[in-house]
Amino acid sequence: MYKKLIRPLLYLLPAEVAHHLAFGGLRLLASIPGVLRLMRHVFHQNDDATRVRALGLDFPNPIGLAAGFDKDAIGYEALGAMGFGFIEVGTLTGQAQSGNPTPRLFRLTKDRALINRMGFNNRGSADAVARLRRPHRTIVGVNIGKTKVVPEEQAIGDYVASAKRVGPYADYVVVNVSSPNTPGLRNLQATEKLRPLLCAVREALNEVSPARRVPLLVKIAPDLADEDVDAVADLCIELGLDGIIASNTTISRDGLASSADEVEHCGAGGLSGPPVAERSMEVLQRLRARVGEEMVLISVGGIETPEQARERLEAGANLVQIYTALIYDGPWLPKRLAEGTSGREGPGQ
Ligand SMILES: Cc1cc2nc3c(=O)[nH]c(=O)nc-3n(C[C@H](O)[C@H](O)[C@H](O)COP(=O)(O)O)c2cc1C
C-alpha cells in the first residue's frame, strides 16, 4: 500500500512537506487510545533472537532510526512502536534555530537517495527536555550539535549546555561533529578540537547524572580521510568513549545515476542513501579493526535491505540505523530489517 498509494501521493509534494505530513499522520494515529499498543503488537516481533545488549541497554532489535527524522523529539514513541529497536532524536542545538531557507530537502529518485541542507532546524535542547523526561518505552538516543550563530571558539559551551539539559533523560548522547550543513562544524572532528569537546561533554554528563553513567558516542562523516578515521578511533579509546556512529551524509556526488542537471538542481548539502553505502561500510570495517571488540559501533549510511543490515552487523556493527530507505520503502521496513537480523552471530549477541 505504501509504494502503490501513499508514496506516489507524497511524491507530488515537496520532500520536506511530505515528511511533515507523513510524520504528523503517524503521530495523530498514535495519539488514538490503544493504537500505540496495537502498533507494537503488529510491528514488533518480540523475538529473543533479535535482541541486542549494547551500551548497557537491552535493545529489542538492532535497527534504529538515524538522527534528523525526529529532530525535536516529538514522535519517538510512535516511531519506536513502528518496529525500530531505538530512535535517535535531534540534532538538538543549544539555541532554537530555523535552519536554512527552503527548499532544503531533495529526492534523487534514480539513486533512491536524498540531498539535504536542513541546517539543524530545531526548537533547541531546552524545549525538547519537556518531552524527553516523559516516561517512555522506546530507547532514545539524543544527538546534539552546535548552534549556527555560536562561533567555533564557543562551540564547547553550546554542546555542554545541551548535554546538561538532555543527559538525565537520554539513553545515550551523541556529539555530532559531522553535518555538512553547519559552516565549520566538521572542523571539530580534528582531534585537537575534538578532545576538549568530548572531555567537556563527558564531564557535563557525569555532573548531571551521577548515579547513571550516560553512554557518550561521537558521529563522524564518511568524507574523513582514512588516517583521520584512525585518529578519531584512537582518541575515542583514549577518552573511554562508549561508541562511534559512522556515518553522516557525504558531500561527494560521485557515482550517481541521476543526471548532472538533477544533481545540480539540488545544490549544496549532504547526500544520503545507497551512494554512501560503500564508504560507510569501509569506515565501519576500519573502525572495528582499530578499536577492538569493546567499543560500540553504530553503522549508518545506505542500508536498505535485511541482507545489508546483516552484513553491517557481521562486519562489526553492534547496531545499525536507517533514514533514507524509510522514505523510499515505508513503514514496514524496520520490521523487515529486524526480522532479517534474527538469530545472527555478531557483537552484542
Ligand atoms: C533529511 C535528513 C536530515 C538529517 N539530519 C541529521 C541531523 O540532524 N543530525 C545527524 O546527525 N544526522 C542527520 N542526518 C543524517 C542521517 O542521520 C544519516 O546519518 C544519513 O542520512 C545516512 O543514513 P541513510 O543513508 O540511511 O539515510 C540527516 C539525514 C537526512 C536525509
Side-chain angles (χ1 to χ4, degrees):
M1 175 153 115
Y2 179 78
K3 282 190 197 159
K4 291 226 164 75
L5 190 69
I6 298 175
R7 191 173 73 180
L9 289 175
L10 290 174
Y11 275 19
L12 295 174
L13 302 168
E16 189 173 346
V17 176
H19 167 79
H20 288 305
L21 200 69
F23 191 22
L26 172 71
R27 293 194 327 266
L28 188 69
L29 189 70
S31 69
I32 301 169
V35 169
L36 264 185
R37 194 144 43 94
L38 181 70
M39 283 173 64
R40 278 194 202 101
H41 181 72
V42 171
F43 287 111
H44 277 274
Q45 59 268 60
N46 230 340
D47 176 358
D48 274 349
T50 63
R51 289 184 202 288
V52 174
R53 176 128 189 112
L55 301 170
L57 302 162
D58 285 310
F59 293 79
N61 69 65
I63 312 296
L65 178 61
F69 192 99
D70 185 5
K71 289 193 187 264
D72 285 306
I74 54 177
Y76 56 82
E77 279 292 58
L79 290 162
M82 233 170 69
F84 283 108
F86 62 111
I87 306 293
E88 190 170 308
V89 300
T91 294
L92 291 164
T93 53
Q95 299 170 32
Q97 58 182 22
S98 54
N100 289 319
T102 57
R104 52 191 180 180
L105 176 60
F106 305 87
R107 308 178 187 99
L108 286 179
T109 46
K110 285 184 198 134
D111 292 288
R112 294 171 56 83
L114 297 171
I115 289 180
N116 90 83
R117 54 169 169 281
M118 306 299 288
F120 292 166
N121 53 306
N122 77 109
R123 303 180 204 161
S125 50
D127 183 84
V129 168
R131 294 175 295 282
L132 289 169
R133 61 153 57 109
R134 288 182 197 144
H136 48 265
R137 279 184 63 162
T138 304
I139 293 182
V140 181
V142 183
N143 179 309
I144 58 174
K146 184 184 82 69
T147 307
K148 186 177 177 185
V149 296
V150 168
E152 206 179 303
E153 317 81 69
Q154 292 164 28
I156 292 181
D158 199 59
Y159 280 92
V160 163
S162 293
K164 285 188 174 169
R165 290 173 188 143
V166 304
Y169 315 106
D171 288 309
Y172 67 84
V173 166
V174 183
V175 166
N176 179 9
V177 281
S178 47
S179 165
N181 301 314
T182 296
L185 189 87
R186 300 185 342 155
N187 299 338
L188 298 172
Q189 291 176 116
T191 50
E192 68 277 11
K193 293 193 172 145
L194 194 54
R195 180 180 282 108
L197 171 59
L198 293 176
C199 288
V201 172
R202 179 71 271 165
E203 238 171 72
L205 293 175
N206 293 347
E207 189 188 315
V208 294
S209 178
R212 175 182 65 99
R213 187 179 187 280
V214 183
L216 176 62
L217 296 85
V218 64
K219 182 166 178 180
I220 62 172
D223 305 320
L224 282 180
D226 286 345
E227 315 81 80
D228 297 330
V229 172
D230 293 348
V232 171
D234 294 349
L235 179 68
C236 290
I237 296 172
E238 179 198 319
L239 301 182
L241 235 70
D242 300 275
I244 304 174
I245 305 187
S247 64
N248 215 309
T249 55
T250 178
I251 54 168
S252 161
R253 299 289 187 263
D254 292 343
L256 292 174
S258 306
S259 71
D261 275 356
E262 286 166 321
V263 176
E264 210 168 289
H265 164 80
C266 304
L271 173 69
S272 58
V276 82
E278 191 181 328
R279 180 61 185 158
S280 173
M281 175 62 125
E282 262 173 32
V283 173
L284 165 67
Q285 289 167 327
R286 194 166 186 95
L287 285 172
R288 184 48 83 202
R290 193 86 182 180
V291 299
E293 291 305 308
E294 288 307 303
M295 191 172 296
V296 167
L297 297 180
I298 303 182
S299 184
V300 48
I303 297 169
E304 296 197 297
T305 65
E307 294 71 33
Q308 289 165 346
R310 223 181 152 98
E311 267 169 32
R312 299 289 176 106
L313 296 165
E314 284 166 4
N318 301 75
L319 301 161
V320 300
Q321 292 175 326
I322 61 162
Y323 186 147
T324 304
L326 183 68
I327 309 302
Y328 283 92
D329 288 340
W332 291 100
L333 184 63
K335 181 180 167 83
R336 272 213 316 278
L337 295 180
E339 280 170 354
T341 68
S342 180
R344 73 192 172 80
E345 300 283 318
Q349 286 294 291

